[in-house]
Amino acid sequence: YIQSETGYADIYYYKEGDSSSIKITSGDGVYFNPSIAVDSNGYVHIAFMETVEQGDNKYFRILYTDNVGGTFKTPVELNYTNYINFGHPSIVVDANGVSHIVCYSRDNSGVYIVYANYSSGVLSQPIKVNSTLVSANISAPIPDLTVDGNNNIHIVFSAADLDHYSNGNPNFNYTAVYYVNYSNGVFSTPIKVSGNVEITFHPSIALDTNGVIHIVFAGHPRTELLDYDIFYVDNSTGSFSSPLKIFDTEHTDYLPHIEVDSHGFSHIVFYETLNDLSASKLYYLTNSPYPPHEIN
């Protein structure tokens, strides 16, 4: 997204080889946080956020567009009936060209992870991934998703830790990463994959060609409030492993993203800020024995 001097912000799309980028929003709003997926025919599907003002109040909404047919269609809005806000969308497209979106949403009782899809020109009503997993604050639950060869959806998100509920109420001092899948219109029972890591954020998920699930997330013990580290889990043995700390510094490491190549090796990028806020860095990690291209 690009912000103008007037305070507006728009979403732009660029494909390698094109002479210029394409502005896909109207120029009279604040649009940001785009998520992109490409289908098997090379068409682009994009979900993004917009800040909407109503009087003295602001709220977030999610919009979707694609260029199926050659040009970007007018963005359509994720229905927010009974919801106050939507934010931080992640999008993936299955083999049938159906777009799947997960994001956070707030209603009068709390913050949830919700799911919707776009098929045959219709954006579905959002449904809660799991109504018992409520987050304490609106910035924490940034979900991620991927799709397998059978068009099953795999989702990870951070939420209140079910192991720290008291009388049905969550203790928001503890958060965990949960995995669910979505098949034939039914969500699986959430599986906690963050082990004994007490505070978690920003999970990312990928599948390899053997169907193994790979997950990374940022986390830390409750006693180390600024020392986020990067953790990794997979289910290569049939069940999820204990979290492996793959990067450990005294600084704040977060916002990881994972992809898995055709050989099953993981490639991870993440963001770090120094504790005195004097600098920030991007890091790349891999378990591949093959040398990556140079990263400047």
Side-chain angles (χ1 to χ4, degrees):
Y1 88 98
I2 299 175
Q3 186 171 4
S4 70
E5 293 180 358
T6 61
Y8 292 127
D10 283 293
I11 306 297
Y12 289 79
Y13 163 74
Y14 177 78
K15 179 182 178 182
E16 183 180 6
D18 288 351
S19 59
S20 62
S21 57
I22 299 172
K23 186 171 74 170
I24 64 173
T25 49
S26 62
D28 58 357
V30 181
Y31 306 97
F32 57 105
N33 275 19
S35 179
I36 189 171
V38 182
D39 65 29
S40 58
N41 294 314
Y43 293 121
V44 179
H45 305 252
I46 301 173
F48 55 94
M49 293 174 63
E50 181 188 14
T51 298
V52 180
E53 296 187 11
Q54 285 188 341
D56 295 331
N57 298 318
K58 293 182 179 181
Y59 71 92
F60 301 131
R61 66 175 182 167
I62 301 275
L63 299 170
Y64 166 86
T65 187
D66 63 51
N67 66 350
V68 175
T71 58
F72 282 102
K73 61 171 56 75
T74 300
V76 293
E77 181 179 357
L78 196 66
N79 189 303
Y80 60 91
T81 303
N82 299 323
Y83 295 100
I84 304 168
N85 275 300
F86 287 104
H88 289 293
S90 294
I91 189 171
V92 69
V93 182
D94 67 25
N96 295 324
V98 177
S99 297
H100 304 267
I101 300 169
V102 290
C103 60
Y104 76 68
S105 183
R106 178 185 290 275
D107 66 10
N108 290 328
S109 59
V111 180
Y112 302 89
I113 301 300
V114 299
Y115 162 86
N117 61 60
Y118 183 86
S119 177
S120 302
V122 177
L123 194 58
S124 69
Q125 290 283 337
I127 55 176
K128 293 177 181 177
V129 170
N130 188 279
S131 61
T132 62
L133 298 176
V134 186
S135 172
N137 83 54
I138 203 164
S139 64
I142 302 176
D144 193 27
L145 80 167
T146 190
V147 61
D148 64 27
N150 296 316
N151 295 329
N152 299 313
I153 307 302
H154 303 262
I155 301 170
V156 286
F157 56 95
S158 181
D161 191 339
L162 283 174
D163 293 333
H164 292 275
Y165 269 59
S166 176
N167 297 320
N169 296 312
N171 180 347
F172 290 124
N173 291 313
Y174 298 86
T175 57
V177 173
Y178 288 89
Y179 160 82
V180 299
N181 60 60
Y182 185 68
S183 177
N184 297 319
V186 178
F187 287 106
S188 66
T189 301
I191 299 173
K192 180 181 173 181
V193 299
S194 51
N196 60 2
V197 183
E198 296 173 317
I199 306 293
T200 65
F201 291 99
H202 311 142
S204 177
I205 188 170
L207 283 171
D208 65 28
T209 54
N210 294 318
V212 174
I213 300 166
H214 304 254
I215 297 171
V216 290
F217 62 92
H220 64 79
R222 291 183 62 233
T223 56
E224 301 175 12
L225 294 181
L226 293 178
D227 187 12
Y228 288 91
D229 297 307
I230 304 299
F231 294 85
Y232 167 89
V233 299
D234 66 38
N235 66 345
S236 57
T237 63
S239 59
F240 283 102
S241 59
S242 296
L244 173 67
K245 187 185 293 187
I246 58 174
F247 195 78
D248 182 2
T249 71
E250 63 182 9
H251 304 299
T252 301
D253 307 300
Y254 56 115
L255 287 174
H257 180 82
I258 187 170
E259 295 289 344
V260 180
D261 64 29
S262 59
H263 302 287
F265 297 116
S266 296
H267 303 263
I268 301 163
V269 291
F270 61 92
Y271 180 70
E272 178 184 274
T273 58
L274 304 187
N275 290 341
D276 62 2
L277 302 180
S278 62
S280 57
K281 302 177 181 180
L282 294 177
Y283 283 88
Y284 165 77
L285 280 173
T286 183
N287 61 350
S288 171
Y290 305 107
H293 294 292
E294 179 182 356
I295 299 176
N296 294 317

